């Protein structure tokens, strides 16, 4: 059974840090490229960060560049999103997604990803 399960979300104060995890099962994780997306209430889902297989390349949305770090541990079938200096505007449900090709821009919610997780809530508030 194919699954992506996110964890690590929560309620934190501005300036805090969180690390999100995305645990994969049921497919060859190391062959897949992983994207992190987020969706705030009333807004379109947006790409936050992306990592290719073998960690060859990493990409970030301008809004998180310098604050978020994406990584993966293929031996653990897990991808991570380390989030630093969190801001209220980072509040959203965060999703991880996996795709086996690089067709289409990674950050577009209309780009096809093979698998999606169920999401984890991140709330940044004082």
């Amino acid at each position: 059974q194919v699954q992506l399960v996110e964890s690590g979300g929560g309620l934190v104060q501005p300036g805090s840090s969180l690390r999100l995890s995305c645990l994969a099962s049921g497919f060859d994780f190391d062959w897949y490229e992983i994207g992190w997306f987020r969706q705030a209430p009333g807004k379109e889902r947006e790409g936050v960060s992306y990592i290719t297989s073998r960690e060859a390349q990493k990409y970030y949305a301008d809004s998180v560049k310098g604050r978020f770090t994406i990584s993966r541990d293929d031996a653990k079938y897990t991808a991570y999103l380390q989030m630093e200096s969190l801001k209220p505007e980072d509040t959203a449900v965060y999703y991880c997604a996996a795709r086996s090709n690089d067709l289409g821009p990674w950050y577009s919610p209309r780009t096809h990803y093979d698998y999606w997780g169920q999401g984890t809530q991140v709330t940044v508030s004082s």
Side-chain angles (χ1 to χ4, degrees):
Q1 179 183 1
V2 172
Q3 274 192 312
L4 287 174
V5 179
E6 301 95 336
S7 61
L11 170 63
V12 296
Q13 292 188 336
S16 299
S17 301
L18 279 175
R19 188 177 80 156
L20 305 183
S21 298
C22 171
L23 176 63
S25 60
F27 63 99
D28 290 330
F29 179 77
D30 51 348
W31 288 102
Y32 281 71
E33 306 192 345
I34 304 298
W36 282 97
F37 289 77
R38 67 186 180 187
Q39 187 165 21
K43 294 189 176 182
E44 187 178 49
R45 188 173 297 188
E46 63 173 349
V48 174
S49 187
Y50 185 82
I51 187 167
T52 61
S53 60
R54 308 291 188 261
E55 292 195 315
Q57 294 180 335
K58 303 177 183 180
Y59 302 92
Y60 300 93
D62 287 344
S63 59
V64 306
K65 204 170 291 183
R67 299 188 298 121
F68 290 12
T69 303
I70 193 170
S71 62
R72 62 191 296 162
D73 185 337
D74 290 345
K76 295 182 178 179
Y77 269 47
T78 303
Y80 303 97
L81 186 67
Q82 179 69 41
M83 306 187 295
E84 309 281 352
S85 303
L86 283 162
K87 305 175 181 180
E89 51 264 43
D90 294 319
T91 296
V93 178
Y94 283 71
Y95 302 88
C96 64
R99 65 174 183 172
S100 57
N101 60 66
D102 60 355
L103 299 176
W106 66 266
Y107 49 82
S108 172
R110 284 166 288 282
T111 291
H112 173 73
Y113 279 77
D114 298 287
Y115 311 118
W116 287 86
Q118 83 292 345
T120 185
Q121 176 70 47
V122 172
T123 302
V124 185
S125 175
S126 55

